[in-house]
Amino acid sequence: MTYGKAPTTPRSTLVITAHAGDFVWRAGGAIALAASRGEKVTIACLTYGERGESAKAWREGKSLEEIKEIRRAEAEAAASTLGARVRFLDAGDYPLLVTQELTDQLVRIYRDTQPDVVLTHPLDDPYNGDHPAAARMALDARVLAQAIGYPSEGEIIGAPPVFFFEPHQPEMCGFQPEVLLDITPVWETKRKAMECLAAQQHLWDYYTDLGKRRGVQLKRNAGPNLGLPHATYGEAYMRPYPQVTEELA
Amino acid sequence: MTYGKAPTTPRSTLVITAHAGDFVWRAGGAIALAASRGEKVTIACLTYGERGESAKAWREGKSLEEIKEIRRAEAEAAASTLGARVRFLDAGDYPLLVTQELTDQLVRIYRDTQPDVVLTHPLDDPYNGDHPAAARMALDARVLAQAIGYPSEGEIIGAPPVFFFEPHQPEMCGFQPEVLLDITPVWETKRKAMECLAAQQHLWDYYTDLGKRRGVQLKRNAGPNLGLPHATYGEAYMRPYPQVTEELA
Amino acid sequence: MTYGKAPTTPRSTLVITAHAGDFVWRAGGAIALAASRGEKVTIACLTYGERGESAKAWREGKSLEEIKEIRRAEAEAAASTLGARVRFLDAGDYPLLVTQELTDQLVRIYRDTQPDVVLTHPLDDPYNGDHPAAARMALDARVLAQAIGYPSEGEIIGAPPVFFFEPHQPEMCGFQPEVLLDITPVWETKRKAMECLAAQQHLWDYYTDLGKRRGVQLKRNAGPNLGLPHATYGEAYMRPYPQVTEELA
Amino acid sequence: MTYGKAPTTPRSTLVITAHAGDFVWRAGGAIALAASRGEKVTIACLTYGERGESAKAWREGKSLEEIKEIRRAEAEAAASTLGARVRFLDAGDYPLLVTQELTDQLVRIYRDTQPDVVLTHPLDDPYNGDHPAAARMALDARVLAQAIGYPSEGEIIGAPPVFFFEPHQPEMCGFQPEVLLDITPVWETKRKAMECLAAQQHLWDYYTDLGKRRGVQLKRNAGPNLGLPHATYGEAYMRPYPQVTEELA
Amino acid sequence: MTYGKAPTTPRSTLVITAHAGDFVWRAGGAIALAASRGEKVTIACLTYGERGESAKAWREGKSLEEIKEIRRAEAEAAASTLGARVRFLDAGDYPLLVTQELTDQLVRIYRDTQPDVVLTHPLDDPYNGDHPAAARMALDARVLAQAIGYPSEGEIIGAPPVFFFEPHQPEMCGFQPEVLLDITPVWETKRKAMECLAAQQHLWDYYTDLGKRRGVQLKRNAGPNLGLPHATYGEAYMRPYPQVTEELA
Amino acid sequence: MTYGKAPTTPRSTLVITAHAGDFVWRAGGAIALAASRGEKVTIACLTYGERGESAKAWREGKSLEEIKEIRRAEAEAAASTLGARVRFLDAGDYPLLVTQELTDQLVRIYRDTQPDVVLTHPLDDPYNGDHPAAARMALDARVLAQAIGYPSEGEIIGAPPVFFFEPHQPEMCGFQPEVLLDITPVWETKRKAMECLAAQQHLWDYYTDLGKRRGVQLKRNAGPNLGLPHATYGEAYMRPYPQVTEELA
């Protein structure tokens, strides 16, 4: 028995993000790794990031609908590259508001996808209020989805572990790497997914550098004896809930 | 490949504690689990706890040497019950002082035991200054033991993960459960080891209650779907360094 | 003069909780102690905990109204056992939402009961969002009830001290025991009140163990010279506002 | 029974400070209050503050011995005004070093004075390292003095509550007022004691202003209904250990 | 080039506060300094503080409209004394609610005033929930006003630095002085502006004492060599965002 | 008047580091900037980093003295490239111990160099205990050097601001960027200085990436209106003491 693992079905990962691009930069490696193991990954994008993260398109004079369409297409291409499926909730960004209706929609997605692992934003981000709003609803919905008394369709869920992925300016968001995930085997896939996001080309290198940086730290924390390759790539995560395990390692 | 695991030798766990009894109450489950998997566990007791944790013996008029002998015998019996080996450094307690000599002795033990996992006290304890002193030296020695330039015998070590075990009054020591270890399979062994510590009988039930309490929380965090037994026992740990992993779970 | 004490009337305690059972597990000792001194204790239950804390009843196929009725009856029996009066606001749980209307109802209760002491949940609980919501409104209403300009019936209140009672998983909620209350004299009463909550029998022993645990710590912090009985029971509280006093003790 | 109070002897307060003047500015009110109730107050000054807090005397060309003598005389006059007795350990300041010998001297003072209450500096002060050094030894010695196995003269002590008094720049030292003590009844006494410290006249008004400021906050936290006088004076304290009590108030 | 300074236009400061008096007590020095340099200062008062900060007027039987009028007149006089312009949003206080409509109004003010510096309340205040509500909206609106995709009139803004001014009970609000501003040159102006607030005369001396206190700390942190005058006055601020600079000083 | 600036002499910067290479990676930009303004920069290297940061040389079989000589030569070349002067205290690393003797040597350097600005390591680093040890002594010595009563040669110093430079794994050291320094004008110089450290070639790119990363964040925090160049480089610093200023900016 391994905690959080059901014996027969493929494992399920649920990624809840504020904007269409977030899952690529911040959790693309985890998603690709899970997919590469034959697991199911569902990404719930609460908005397209049409107002807050599409400055270039606005400057080019694109309309709101055009921008949403571009962002949707890019995100779908990236998700497909990573091996995941993306659902758009189109809740409107900048600001993304915390509402009971949207939280309820997430409850339904939790019950539908029965996740073994949940990924979302950390709870603080002084540069973008949509990220904490998404995280707040992701956590609230997870708790509600566990309650048999909560009136929503589908089976209640267990208590899947939650991981916060890394924000753009981690130190300003109270982000501290608690888990360093080795994404070297899927690095090329993550890079390709990033390249699907044509409008944010300046971030390709930024997140490549970050992948290397976390890889260096991963090697430092794993110890030099493991024979990890020179070019190790990593992603950093936080755990808001304790790890449950049968073995200290 | 699993991080921190060397392929051929049995894994090695090093437990560094201030007093002779600490490893039983606080990490007895982890030790017994590791031993039950055929792994090697070494306990480095910096002192016998002869002054600070032997009030009963002092009231009975025992001499310092007698008390040290009693504590040694009890600790050896408990270690043997758990399946571990204990080394006494006899550095003198209450206060246990941080010294370069003692830190150096620990470097030698690190290099000798080549641990894959390290367990020690957390860095704060307003009720007992020996615990942070032991932890401070355990962490310092681990870093020194990694350096090829540090002049001590033996091979340098890697960067084994460190776990802080739970102090007596966790909330007063900044202790937050980051890892909940399921010790149900070895619970009876831990209980027997506790019963080796005859002078502290009042703690047997205290730590049995704690084991149940952490077990309840473990079940709550693992989710109700896993079919964990009603009587689940747990131990809580903190991680001062990030977890390195190939899979989020 | 003792701070917070009005000379002629019996003292008044106001307990504000999210769900019908919370006051029993977490503050039953404080309530029974106050009642045993002839003081008035009012419990404001914002919800019955009908959705989030009644899993057993839901599994038995009970209806929402049946469950609310069961919870109400249990809570009234427990309150009566403790010597307190309970008011239900039936605001709906899971989620309990922070609203201005509900806050305003609490202002009225503050002004009506003129509390000398206020007890409520702490402001964080990653396992149950209703608890922080209740605490948020309890604190906001307390401030509003102090303002002569706030349009509500009744006399304005002073600045009664607030105590946060202990959540189910204290370390995960930032809970640190700042006050240890000796509830030994009313322990049997608290136990009887717990036994009124038939549906949550698994918690009777959990909170008995916790009472013992906090009792052990109370004795540890009070010092061994006081001759406290072996079986001392305690409850832990936090103070979000500074203690005002005429004597350091 | 009141916690911490022995029935027959007068209560004993122990104040441990780094420099000769600290007890006046920071705890003069608490000392005078205790003395006014007929309690015994002992002040242990680890140094005279001869190097770090006597700039004026150095500029006037006084010798080290002269400065120590001046400081001693001033401190004795102030202590006498407050109703306390002062012991000088003359350990040398700037820097005051944490040593086992000095800690041991404090253990003896603990056992000798058998304090019901302990006052000392907080553990952080980026402007003066002597203050944390004194606090560190005050706390360590308190724990050692409780142990029957610690080899020092005198009876072991209980677990007297500890209060950290307010540093000069509280927000820079992590100081948060957890206890506001009403010192109005002894304000004139504290002012007179301050005026004994002739060399630091610029601090008389600074600490008078602080007394008023904490008085305003005390009234704000006590509530407007208590009829506290307009000119209320206060001192602020922190509690590193939980309060033990029989009643929430 | 100096960061945040546009070469030709006068610099613009935007102060966002909950109540009509806040800007005087807490940021009057910064406002007067900026005005004295010929810069433009705009104060956005979300409410008049008519319910929560006008107890005297309510006790005198004034009506809501009368109180608002009094507060408006006082605030305008004070702003004029300081050299600033004040805009009232009349959003209703006690409680001031966080709404999207009000946030949107602030976005418009940001775009209209194009601030180089923003001053507002810190994000925590257990004594007055209106202050954090104002700060929350001030920060959210600043982020929205930067986005070209956010549908509001006017030009988008840059990323002006934000300063939190000092709350009434700083230590209870997590306030730590990160910037000490020398307001000595404009002290008389600040004092005159405070005296415009006739109803809160008890605060004139409180904030004069605070000005002196921060002045003493400013001199302490600036070093004794600078020849600062004896009567130095200061104001303290926090920076939620990093300082951007060309020189460490 | 600008705070911290003496009118006639060139400004003086003092950099205190544990090992010979630290000043290059972490503060090379600040040093080069100061030098480029004609200021004096003195680097006090407490050790050569001969044991803890010279793994490659040890593996090549070099002797202790050879390694120290190599490190000295590299550091001198780098310092010279940056425009600074370096003093070696040769106190022995891994571990660097906090001693009164070494602190006293630093007092002398403070009084000798009369710094206007001080740069050192942050106070926590779980990967290398030498760094906090150096920082501890740097801060202690700065306080002692201010006291006229402290017996050391030279004039007392003022209270120069302190900046903590960025550690290798910032999030694990409690490091949060509080100041972002634009080092673009001297980037090439910093790169050349890094290339003087031949044995640590793997860090050249790591710290180039970090410079870019901090540059991106600098632009993000400065606002898009400033016309900063695409390739902006930055260094991040913390301030343990409040900034003292005449203007908020």
Side-chain angles (χ1 to χ4, degrees), chain C residues 123-144:
Chain C
L123 286 165
D124 286 304
D125 189 338
Y127 295 96
N128 192 320
D130 292 2
H131 296 155
R136 187 68 271 147
M137 289 187 281
L139 294 185
D140 286 350
R142 174 181 166 279
V143 167
L144 297 176

Side-chain angles (χ1 to χ4, degrees), chain A residues 93-122:
Chain A
D93 77 332
Y94 251 56
L96 169 61
L97 299 175
V98 172
T99 67
Q100 187 45 31
E101 291 65 36
L102 198 50
T103 304
D104 185 68
Q105 283 185 268
L106 288 177
V107 171
R108 234 170 300 163
I109 293 176
Y110 270 103
R111 292 200 175 168
D112 186 31
T113 57
Q114 293 287 323
D116 297 287
V117 173
V118 176
L119 310 184
T120 192
H121 301 269

Side-chain angles (χ1 to χ4, degrees), chain D residues 63-86:
Chain D
S63 75
L64 183 63
E65 284 313 309
E66 284 170 322
I67 291 169
K68 285 163 78 164
E69 192 43 51
I70 291 167
R71 300 276 297 181
R72 167 196 276 273
E74 286 181 358
E76 279 176 346
S80 166
T81 301
L82 296 172
R85 201 181 128 229
V86 57

Side-chain angles (χ1 to χ4, degrees), chain D residues 10-195:
Chain D
R11 275 164 69 85
S12 164
T13 293
L14 177 59
V15 186
I16 300 177
T17 69
H19 311 114
D22 293 335
F23 69 90
V24 187
W25 314 114
R26 291 158 190 169
I31 293 168
L33 270 180
S36 75
R37 289 188 304 257
E39 305 180 10
K40 194 179 62 163
V41 183
T42 309
I43 299 151
C45 281
L46 299 184
T47 82
Y48 296 107
E50 61 271 15
R51 295 194 180 281
E53 308 206 332
S54 306
K56 189 158 162 277
W58 286 100
R59 276 196 223 96
E60 293 167 357
K62 298 242 170 29
S63 75
L64 183 63
E65 284 313 309
E66 284 170 322
I67 291 169
K68 285 163 78 164
E69 192 43 51
I70 291 167
R71 300 276 297 181
R72 167 196 276 273
E74 286 181 358
E76 279 176 346
S80 166
T81 301
L82 296 172
R85 201 181 128 229
V86 57
R87 295 194 199 178
F88 297 98
L89 282 80
D90 195 13
D93 76 332
Y94 251 56
L96 169 63
L97 298 176
V98 173
T99 67
Q100 186 46 29
E101 291 64 36
L102 199 49
T103 305
D104 185 66
Q105 282 185 267
L106 288 177
V107 171
R108 237 171 300 164
I109 293 176
Y110 271 103
R111 290 198 176 171
D112 186 31
T113 57
Q114 293 285 325
D116 298 288
V117 173
V118 177
L119 310 185
T120 193
H121 300 270
L123 288 164
D124 286 304
D125 190 338
Y127 295 94
N128 192 320
D130 292 1
H131 296 154
R136 185 69 274 147
M137 289 188 281
L139 294 186
D140 287 350
R142 174 181 166 279
V143 166
L144 297 176
Q146 296 175 32
I148 189 172
Y150 183 85
S152 178
E153 286 165 32
E155 287 297 303
I156 60 166
I157 65 166
V162 179
F163 295 88
F164 291 153
F165 42 68
E166 179 165 352
H168 196 61
Q169 296 195 48
E171 301 96 341
M172 300 307 298
C173 305
F175 184 86
Q176 179 163 345
E178 295 179 340
V179 180
L180 291 168
L181 179 69
D182 187 349
I183 61 167
T184 314
V186 296
W187 174 252
E188 289 308 319
T189 307
K190 176 167 180 175
R191 176 76 197 197
K192 269 188 215 116
M194 292 199 293
E195 293 173 1

Side-chain angles (χ1 to χ4, degrees), chain C residues 173-188:
Chain C
C173 304
F175 185 86
Q176 179 163 344
E178 295 180 340
V179 180
L180 291 169
L181 179 70
D182 187 347
I183 61 167
T184 313
V186 296
W187 173 254
E188 287 309 317

